[in-house]
Amino acid sequence: MPDPANPFPPFSAPYSPDDSEIAATLLALPSLSAEQNARIDSTATRLIEAVRGEDGGFGGVEDMLREFSLSTKEGLALMVMAEALLRVPDAATADRFIEDKLGQGDFAHHRTRSSALLVNASAWALGLSARVIQPGETPQGTLGLIAKRIGLPAVRTATRQAMRLMGNHFVLGETIESALARAADHDAPHHHHRYSFDMLGEGARTVDDAARYFESYAAAIAAIGAAAGDRKPEDRPGISIKLSALHPRYEALSRTRVMSELVPRVLDLARRAKTHGMNFTVDAEEADRLELSLDVIGAVFADPSLAGWDGFGLAVQAYQKRAGAVIDHVHALAERLDRRITLRLVKGAYWDTEIKRTQERGLDGYPVFTRKAMTDLNYIACARKLLALRPRIFPQFATHNALSVATVAELAGDGGGFEFQRLHGMGDALYTRLHEDKPSFACRTYAPVGSHRDLLAYLVRRLLENGANSSFVALAADDSIPVAALLERPQQTIRTPDRAHNPRLPLPRDMYLPRINSRGVEFGDRAALDDLRAAIHGQSAPQAQARTATAEQAAIAVALARTGFAFWSRTAADTRANALERAANLLERRMPRFIALLQSEGGKTIDDAVSEVREAVDFCRYYAGEGRRLFAQGQPLPGPTGESNTLRLRGRGAMVAVSPWNFPLAIFTGQVAACLMAGNTVIAKPAEQTPLIAADAVALLHEAGIPDSALHLV
Ligand SMILES: Cc1cc2nc3c(=O)[nH]c(=O)nc-3n(C[C@H](O)[C@H](O)[C@H](O)COP(=O)(O)OP(=O)(O)OC[C@H]3O[C@@H](n4cnc5c(N)ncnc54)[C@H](O)[C@@H]3O)c2cc1C
């Protein structure tokens, strides 16, 4: 359906296509000549040498560790604490947090207390990759020892210091003014130095947050514009914005609201940037917001008031399987409008989140690649595509990977019309060397600006990126890894399409094998959401009526359940499990029906309703699986007093399952399924508020093979 806010066809591409199909296409792209490959090797080697500091270079994880005396486990532990403290809103709570973590317990014995928050900190991962930390050491243990030695107040001061150091490494300035001043200082030694300022802050939770971020972007644009002077258009500074900072409901389910409220805000900022002839880039965020982001970007970009300005652009993530399709879409948009657009190609900074979310949502496949070499391969394929689309698209290659840089440099030739990009605090040595070797290649620095309060999300991404053992930056910093190993091409790593998917990352459906995970719905996938909404809409209103049972009726149900027990308790466990598994499959298939019921009777939102149906499905499969396992092994179920007895394997009799209104399907089904699997018969008593959902659930269980005599609804 045409959208008045966006006259162009919306972006559409399969959300999570099969890895091997993409690999087959990427591996079939024409290969580079031997001469080209030799030049790539030579450029990449020189860049790696610079990163490793063989010529007195700088940059890299180890340098950061050295610079901040963090190459000790004590220093790292302080950084871990500092990272945790960024989550704490005020100084008093911060002090209490430190007391809580360090003020008690015997820390000399590390295992006595452990805190997942600290052990899993991304800063600690940095130390692991740099081998500063030995297996078994924990930040809390280390910090406890320091606290014993120097006392808590000193630890508190040192932690604050660590927080500042971390901030300074990755953030150019706390205010746009200080950042601009620091950028001006940096200008001298590096010619062609360009900046894109990023006002820290994302994921607005409230309208006030969004308004604050808007003001901060607007003020930054004014300050950057005023400082831009008379530089050439491509050398002018820019700003990067995050759509999630500008709207508290920036999510696919709120599309209508987002289009009417967020588009005008972004357009307002873009117009301000245009008046200064600045660059303006929309950062790439999570995969489930990709389609929505392209709607917003398309609507803003198409606005006639922006005609004649070449600075508008967006970031695209090569780890997303849809990256190539996004580039085609953006190119088509720019062609129709006869305008230039800038496109920053990144690999993507939310990989862990994407994987976890996909698993949590029970999707059929991952929207991102699961092997790093696939991302690298796709990065180069996208780079080729972008370079061929010059000058309609102005490509910006943002990477700290020497091999990716060298490959893009080779593919780009000397024709210009593109730039490299790096993050402030990273890639300095690499790009200084590249500039020495290829003075015509421009590099822009992405420079975060902001206070500690807004630093956390950005910092965690950077620390995770540097700490990951597959990260190029971490590998390049490790002198024990031969340069040749860093030059292995992604196509050599992947080799054949069947190796495109990471075998250690099962598909979400297979995560709990032998139990099949419940299937979810990705709202960020417009086609899937539209289908679901249509199916929910198509459900007929429930016709049933509920009456409160009388005491006599309840007594009859109990008597019937008691009679039914003789048969059901002797039914084979496998038969009981099969019926529950059939029920799970039916529930999954009838998800729209149950969502409609959960919405009309239970007042659930669509996302809560999807989760609830899934939970009911999981309960059925879980009890079926556990029951089958325990009965098959002849393993006794623990009795109520803890003792076990094989006789207890049999059901106890007729059970009454009384369930609450707030999870009228999930808890209801869970209680009933557990009782049934154990061989009990059930009298199910739903909450008065939600009897129709219960009636449908019981009918479904009967349909799946639970005998009427074993399950009674009151
Ligand atoms: C100027 C600039 C701007 C940026 N803007 C954005 C932005 O708007 N949005 C954004 O998301 N990121 C952004 N980034 C961050 C960027 O995505 C990361 O810096 C980048 O992924 C690191 O890539 P690399 O080539 O430097 O390092 P490499 O070490 O070569 O690559 C690391 C990347 O590979 C990918 N990867 C790692 N493991 C796997 C795996 N198992 N399977 C598949 N892929 C894997 C991940 O993307 C990971 O970040 C920006 C970076 C720069 C330099």
Side-chain angles (χ1 to χ4, degrees):
M1 200 171 40
D3 180 339
N6 194 347
F8 300 114
F11 171 76
S12 148
Y15 194 84
S16 47
D18 184 50
D19 305 62
S20 51
E21 280 171 27
I22 304 175
T25 311
L26 297 184
L27 290 169
L29 289 174
S31 39
L32 300 180
S33 68
E35 294 77 38
Q36 285 180 304
N37 275 314
R39 281 196 296 269
I40 292 172
D41 281 344
S42 144
T43 308
T45 303
R46 279 188 48 76
L47 298 178
I48 293 166
E49 283 165 3
V51 172
R52 292 195 164 171
E54 285 174 18
D55 285 350
F58 47 96
V61 180
E62 287 201 323
D63 282 324
M64 176 175 153
L65 297 177
R66 250 198 312 273
E67 197 181 331
F68 299 145
S69 308
L70 295 173
S71 49
T72 60
K73 59 181 187 229
E74 286 83 9
L76 267 167
L78 282 174
M79 198 149 112
V80 168
M81 182 67 108
E83 182 190 325
L85 279 180
L86 286 170
R87 291 164 221 258
V88 176
D90 60 89
T93 315
D95 286 350
R96 279 174 44 213
F97 178 79
I98 297 177
E99 306 274 339
D100 182 57
K101 292 291 164 234
L102 303 180
Q104 30 181 299
D106 177 4
F107 294 102
H109 301 98
H110 300 168
R111 264 156 296 171
T112 51
R113 275 165 63 92
S114 107
S115 157
L117 175 64
L118 295 186
V119 176
N120 294 335
S122 48
W124 202 244
L126 196 61
L128 285 172
S129 78
R131 311 220 174 115
V132 172
I133 302 158
Q134 302 306 313
E137 287 178 337
T138 66
Q140 205 167 359
T142 307
L143 282 170
L145 292 174
I146 312 177
K148 272 194 171 165
R149 217 169 52 233
I150 63 174
L152 265 187
V155 172
R156 209 178 287 145
T157 313
T159 307
R160 298 248 159 75
Q161 183 66 8
M163 214 154 93
R164 239 190 318 274
L165 289 172
M166 276 200 293
N168 283 348
H169 188 83
F170 290 111
V171 176
L172 191 62
E174 288 206 18
T175 62
I176 187 68
E177 288 74 23
S178 61
L180 283 165
R182 209 167 154 199
D185 287 349
H186 279 227
D187 252 358
H190 303 278
H191 314 287
H192 278 276
H193 221 114
R194 305 168 175 180
Y195 277 93
S196 182
F197 296 93
D198 158 45
M199 303 310 291
L200 286 174
E202 58 196 86
R205 292 282 178 273
T206 63
V207 171
D208 287 350
D209 279 351
R212 182 164 63 84
Y213 290 134
F214 178 90
E215 289 310 322
S216 134
Y217 284 145
I221 290 171
I224 299 164
D230 56 358
R231 292 171 187 232
K232 288 188 296 187
E234 61 274 19
D235 284 341
R236 295 178 77 75
I239 188 162
S240 296
I241 66 155
K242 285 196 170 51
L243 296 181
S244 72
L246 289 169
H247 199 280
R249 285 275 167 214
Y250 172 52
E251 59 199 14
L253 281 177
S254 308
R255 184 175 178 280
T256 312
R257 210 182 133 189
V258 165
M259 293 308 282
S260 69
E261 296 173 359
L262 179 57
V263 169
R265 274 176 226 173
V266 181
L267 183 58
D268 184 342
L269 292 173
R271 284 185 185 137
R272 293 171 196 238
K274 183 192 170 199
T275 58
H276 297 290
M278 280 167 54
N279 290 286
F280 181 96
T281 305
V282 180
D283 281 353
E285 299 183 75
E286 296 88 343
D288 61 359
R289 286 159 155 174
L290 177 68
E291 293 180 23
L292 186 59
S293 74
L294 292 172
D295 288 346
V296 173
I297 289 166
V300 172
F301 185 58
D303 195 90
S305 65
L306 301 184
W309 170 49
D310 280 349
F312 187 89
L314 74 161
V316 173
Q317 299 154 325
Y319 69 11
Q320 285 215 42
K321 295 173 177 175
R322 294 172 292 175
V326 175
I327 295 173
D328 293 339
H329 173 81
V330 169
H331 179 248
L333 197 65
E335 282 282 311
R336 276 179 208 218
L337 293 165
D338 194 20
R339 298 242 303 275
R340 195 192 77 156
I341 193 162
T342 66
L343 195 150
R344 175 201 305 149
L345 185 65
V346 301
K347 287 180 190 165
Y350 304 78
W351 188 81
D352 306 73
T353 310
E354 298 297 354
I355 296 297
K356 268 289 147 249
R357 276 207 182 148
T358 308
Q359 294 178 339
E360 179 212 317
R361 292 177 187 176
L363 305 184
D364 286 337
Y366 294 99
V368 296
F369 293 111
T370 51
R371 290 193 68 191
K372 179 172 183 297
M374 279 302 293
T375 298
D376 291 338
L377 190 60
N378 198 35
Y379 190 88
I380 296 305
C382 290
R384 282 177 149 183
K385 191 184 260 247
L386 288 170
L387 289 165
L389 296 175
R390 288 176 290 180
R392 180 62 74 201
I393 292 185
F394 181 84
Q396 302 164 316
F397 300 104
T399 168
H400 306 121
N401 178 320
L403 181 61
S404 303
V405 170
T407 311
V408 169
E410 175 63 32
L411 292 168
D414 291 326
F418 73 98
E419 69 184 15
F420 285 104
Q421 294 195 344
R422 70 177 188 100
L423 297 174
H424 170 73
M426 294 179 67
D428 212 343
L430 185 152
Y431 280 107
T432 303
R433 170 64 55 85
L434 185 72
H435 182 68
E436 287 162 12
D437 290 1
K438 304 246 181 195
S440 66
F441 285 4
C443 176
R444 187 180 296 275
T445 302
Y446 180 102
V449 180
S451 62
H452 292 151
R453 171 179 172 188
D454 288 320
L455 176 64
L456 184 70
Y458 179 83
L459 183 71
V460 167
R461 282 200 294 277
R462 292 292 80 77
L463 295 178
L464 282 175
E465 180 179 329
N466 285 302
N469 54 13
S470 64
S471 140
F472 188 89
V473 175
L475 295 174
D478 184 345
D479 291 331
S480 69
I481 296 176
V483 171
L486 300 175
L487 298 182
E488 182 174 290
R489 305 296 197 266
Q491 51 272 39
Q492 290 173 310
T493 315
I494 298 295
R495 290 205 308 269
T496 53
D498 59 313
R499 290 164 42 88
H501 178 80
N502 185 341
R504 283 185 300 179
L505 263 183
L507 290 176
R509 225 163 150 66
D510 300 333
M511 273 172 60
Y512 307 112
L513 286 178
R515 174 162 68 85
I516 298 170
N517 191 10
S518 59
R519 171 172 282 128
V521 182
E522 176 51 70
F523 298 139
D525 177 354
R526 181 172 305 151
L529 179 61
D530 286 351
D531 286 353
L532 179 69
R533 279 183 164 151
I536 295 170
H537 193 69
Q539 299 299 320
S540 50
Q543 298 300 321
Q545 279 197 341
R547 260 182 294 119
T548 309
T550 60
E552 292 72 32
Q553 287 169 325
I556 293 172
V558 171
L560 288 173
R562 284 195 169 135
T563 317
F565 177 70
F567 169 75
W568 184 243
S569 63
R570 284 184 174 74
T571 302
D574 221 31
T575 310
R576 302 204 284 256
N578 287 342
L580 288 180
E581 281 166 353
R582 270 196 301 276
N585 297 343
L586 282 174
L587 271 168
E588 246 180 7
R589 242 182 287 150
R590 292 186 199 156
M591 185 181 262
R593 160 97 190 138
F594 280 94
I595 292 176
L597 270 174
L598 283 161
Q599 292 195 306
S600 62
E601 195 181 46
K604 294 253 166 178
T605 56
I606 189 169
D607 40 354
D608 279 351
V610 169
S611 304
E612 173 136 16
V613 177
R614 290 188 60 208
E615 197 177 332
V617 170
D618 285 333
F619 270 136
C620 290
R621 292 198 181 125
Y622 174 78
Y623 287 121
E626 283 298 282
R628 189 180 270 132
R629 185 175 66 82
L630 292 166
F631 281 84
Q633 289 173 355
Q635 254 187 36
L637 289 171
T641 52
E643 89 276 34
S644 52
N645 179 337
T646 7
L647 286 178
R648 292 183 191 282
L649 278 171
R650 274 192 256 122
R652 308 291 185 81
M655 298 284 163
V656 179
V658 181
S659 44
W661 58 268
N662 57 343
F663 287 96
L665 180 66
I667 296 187
F668 179 86
T669 309
Q671 292 178 330
V672 169
C675 287
L676 288 171
M677 187 60 229
N680 303 295
T681 53
V682 183
I683 305 112
K685 206 297 277 179
E688 301 86 292
Q689 296 88 341
T690 51
L692 301 183
I693 296 168
D696 254 46
V698 167
L700 180 140
L701 284 159
H702 286 153
E703 183 184 340
I706 306 290
D708 290 359
S709 58
L711 174 60
H712 305 265
L713 178 70
V714 171

